[in-house]
């Protein structure tokens, strides 16, 4: 499912126009992004938890040359599915 299909599904399920559903989806993703940037977790009970994972700096190898390179520390978004979502799939 891509974003357009998700907007269509939200509009149909919530009885909204596609424009309003797109605005709602954009507002939700913006709010989640802002919370993660601030270092907070976003918990949607039954659905899951969005959080930030910190990755330490490491050294790696360039596959073409074999030269050693330094990979800087970074942050990555992480999602852990909630129990209701897991149960719905099984």
């Amino acid at each position: 499912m891509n974003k357009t299909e998700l907007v269509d599904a939200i509009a149909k399920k919530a009885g909204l126009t596609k424009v309003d559903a797109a605005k709602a989806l954009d507002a939700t993703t913006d709010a989640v992004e802002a919370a993660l940037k601030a270092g907070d977790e976003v918990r949607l009970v039954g659905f899951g938890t969005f959080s930030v994972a910190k990755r330490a700096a490491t050294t790696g190898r360039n596959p073409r040359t074999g030269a050693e390179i330094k990979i800087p520390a970074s942050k990555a978004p992480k999602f852990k599915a909630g129990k209701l979502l897991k149960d719905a799939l099984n």
Side-chain angles (χ1 to χ4, degrees):
M1 176 180 277
N2 61 30
K3 184 176 179 180
T4 304
E5 294 167 342
L6 181 57
V7 167
D8 290 344
I10 292 169
K12 188 179 289 185
K13 183 89 172 176
L16 300 171
T17 65
K18 289 182 183 180
V19 172
D20 288 341
K23 286 180 184 177
L25 179 59
D26 289 339
T28 302
T29 56
D30 290 346
V32 170
E33 181 181 336
L36 293 178
K37 280 184 181 179
D40 296 333
E41 282 187 345
V42 177
R43 291 178 190 233
L44 302 174
V45 176
F47 184 73
T49 303
F50 295 91
S51 61
V52 177
K54 296 178 182 174
R55 295 185 179 163
T58 60
T59 55
R61 294 212 175 268
N62 181 331
R64 289 186 182 180
T65 64
E68 209 171 79
I69 57 172
K70 292 184 180 182
I71 302 169
S74 64
K75 295 178 185 175
K78 184 171 126 180
F79 177 75
K80 181 178 178 187
K83 184 176 182 342
L84 292 177
L85 180 59
K86 288 179 187 176
D87 290 346
L89 299 176
N90 292 317

